[in-house]
Amino acid sequence: ENGDEDVTLKILYCGVCHSDLHNLTNEWGFTSYPVVPGHEIVGVATKVGKNVTKFKAGDQVGVGVMVGSCKTCECCQQDLENYCSQMIFTYNSHNPDGTKNYGGYSDMIVVDQRYVLRFPDNLPLDAGAPLLCAGITVYSPMKYYGMTEAGKHLGVAGLGGLGHVAVKIAKAFGLKVTVISSSPQKESEAINRLGADSFLASSDPAKMKSAIGSMDYIIDTVSAVHPLFPLLSLLKVNGKLVTLGLPNKPLELPVFPLVSGRKLVGGSDFGGMKETQEMLDFCAKHNIAADIELIRIDEINTAMERLARSDVRYRFVIDVADSLSQ
Ligand code: NAP
Ligand code: ZN
């Protein structure tokens, strides 16, 4: 039912985030089945409640990683709803009344207007969908940790959904960008297609050694357990490493390279609603969207297998209308 504060969306496209894969395989241990994943949702508003002022039927809208929060705590008041202790995820979550939430691998969703975004006209609906998680998850820490100064050198570890959007957003901020990847075959695409300035194969010790102490910041999007020592070594004195990946086991934190170079390791969740809108508008202005492989829902199992092998260029997006056509 569409309540007074709600917007009903006809879903057109939904991105496939690695978090969907972690969730549906219960890697994090808190999946409550049945689960319908999907938190990079783009669609059209088909119905709005009587208190809805931000949207009207027919508007192009988006929904990201969250669909609720307490609205009154310090975080909510500071537009950091994503850090509210009562934040409600778009799927694999429950509402205060006990009902369960299902995500965007679907043709419809009903969401409180506060958690609905205006989707800019000049962003492609399909390739723009991944911005709703991948985009904000890399944009928010770049802003918060002060990683936007033109000319500074950013390393992006892991060239998948988050990583490739990080490259594009960082280039728009005027940064020098180096991709750090476990897949040497991604080198030419990283540079020629995505616009990175250089590429480091993490499996090449000589190249890794030659880059020691060369980076101001690193955004780490690796989805699996991996050593931090090589990444921390790439940072200059006072360098910052922000970890965004969510492997199911803890990463080991080597303190020697941290202490000896006054380096900082931080984390970051996706982002609040205000900042997510700001990011969408920023991407629209700079013509930034994801590089996608459009699939039908009946291709999702193959897509998930490929995602697990880091074999995606660079985000799968489900075409919902096409999936429903015969
Ligand atoms: P993705 O598209 O699968 O990309 C992850 C990349 O990590 C892969 O393409 C691969 O890049 C690298 N990688 C994977 N396994 C590796 C291994 N064993 N060793 C080294 N590198 C490896 O995933 P994504 O959707 O970008 O998400 C990345 C991570 O961020 C996931 O854990 C996801 O759950 C998490 N996430 C967090 C937030 C947040 O709020 N903080 C939001 C969204 C997603 P290369 O081939 O280049 O090495
Ligand atoms: Zn996600």
Side-chain angles (χ1 to χ4, degrees):
E1 281 302 308
N2 190 99
D4 292 346
E5 296 288 334
D6 295 338
V7 179
T8 298
L9 273 78
K10 173 181 166 21
I11 300 176
L12 299 174
Y13 297 99
C14 184
V16 178
C17 178
H18 202 113
S19 298
D20 299 345
L21 180 56
H22 290 305
N23 254 299
L24 60 88
T25 51
N26 197 20
E27 259 180 72
W28 295 328
F30 53 76
T31 301
S32 152
Y33 297 103
V35 59
V36 176
H39 59 205
E40 294 181 339
I41 301 167
V42 171
V44 176
T46 53
K47 194 172 175 183
V48 303
K50 70 172 168 36
N51 297 341
V52 173
T53 49
K54 280 168 68 186
F55 304 101
K56 59 181 189 321
D59 285 355
Q60 223 168 255
V61 289
V63 173
V65 182
M66 72 182 142
V67 293
S69 65
C70 82
K71 300 183 178 172
T72 56
C73 71
E74 214 177 318
C75 287
C76 286
Q77 283 176 14
Q78 294 174 353
D79 296 307
L80 295 169
E81 301 95 334
N82 55 315
Y83 297 115
C84 168
S85 62
Q86 291 167 61
M87 185 265 292
I88 302 172
F89 285 111
T90 301
Y91 67 88
N92 192 32
S93 65
H94 289 85
N95 299 304
D97 67 3
T99 53
K100 199 169 164 182
N101 292 307
Y102 298 102
Y105 297 10
S106 170
D107 59 348
M108 181 188 153
I109 192 168
V110 181
V111 180
D112 180 326
Q113 63 169 333
R114 179 168 176 152
Y115 310 95
V116 177
L117 297 138
R118 190 175 32 76
F119 199 80
D121 283 338
N122 66 323
L123 273 181
L125 297 175
D126 50 3
L131 298 173
L132 291 156
C133 172
I136 186 59
T137 301
V138 299
Y139 181 88
S140 182
M142 289 178 76
K143 296 291 294 264
Y144 176 74
Y145 287 104
M147 300 161 79
T148 58
E149 202 183 321
K152 295 278 190 184
H153 187 185
L154 171 76
V156 175
L159 194 63
L162 267 57
H164 92 290
V165 177
V167 171
K168 295 184 184 197
I169 291 178
K171 288 312 297 177
F173 281 128
L175 300 174
K176 176 184 169 193
V177 180
T178 297
V179 169
I180 307 152
S181 170
S182 65
S183 307
Q185 70 277 15
K186 292 180 183 171
E187 173 160 6
S188 110
E189 279 185 4
I191 293 172
N192 301 319
R193 185 161 131 191
L194 302 174
D197 298 281
S198 55
F199 184 93
L200 268 181
S202 51
S203 55
D204 182 338
K207 273 188 104 180
M208 288 295 281
K209 197 169 170 200
S210 68
I212 284 176
S214 67
M215 297 177 191
D216 297 286
Y217 339 110
I218 292 176
I219 284 190
D220 181 352
T221 73
V222 174
S223 54
V225 173
H226 60 290
L228 290 183
F229 190 91
L231 296 180
L232 288 170
S233 306
L234 295 173
L235 288 173
K236 294 179 185 172
V237 170
N238 297 330
K240 301 171 191 172
L241 169 74
V242 179
T243 57
L244 301 176
L246 294 165
N248 59 349
K249 293 211 174 64
L251 301 181
E252 210 169 278
L253 185 65
V255 289
F256 268 84
L258 264 193
V259 168
S260 58
R262 198 165 67 177
K263 295 170 188 174
L264 180 141
V265 176
S268 185
D269 221 340
F270 38 102
M273 299 315 302
K274 187 174 171 207
E275 194 174 43
T276 306
Q277 190 65 59
E278 175 191 310
M279 176 279 311
L280 285 176
D281 296 340
F282 176 91
C283 289
K285 184 173 161 205
H286 294 275
N287 290 315
I288 295 172
D291 283 32
I292 62 166
E293 296 191 50
L294 205 56
I295 59 165
R296 289 166 56 102
I297 192 65
D298 57 16
E299 296 169 304
I300 191 70
N301 290 343
T302 312
M304 286 295 180
E305 283 161 21
R306 287 185 49 200
L307 193 58
R309 303 196 292 270
S310 308
D311 173 24
V312 50
R313 301 271 187 295
Y314 279 88
R315 196 60 138 189
F316 290 109
V317 172
I318 301 163
D319 183 334
V320 174
D322 187 39
S323 300
L324 295 175
S325 69
Q326 287 308 307

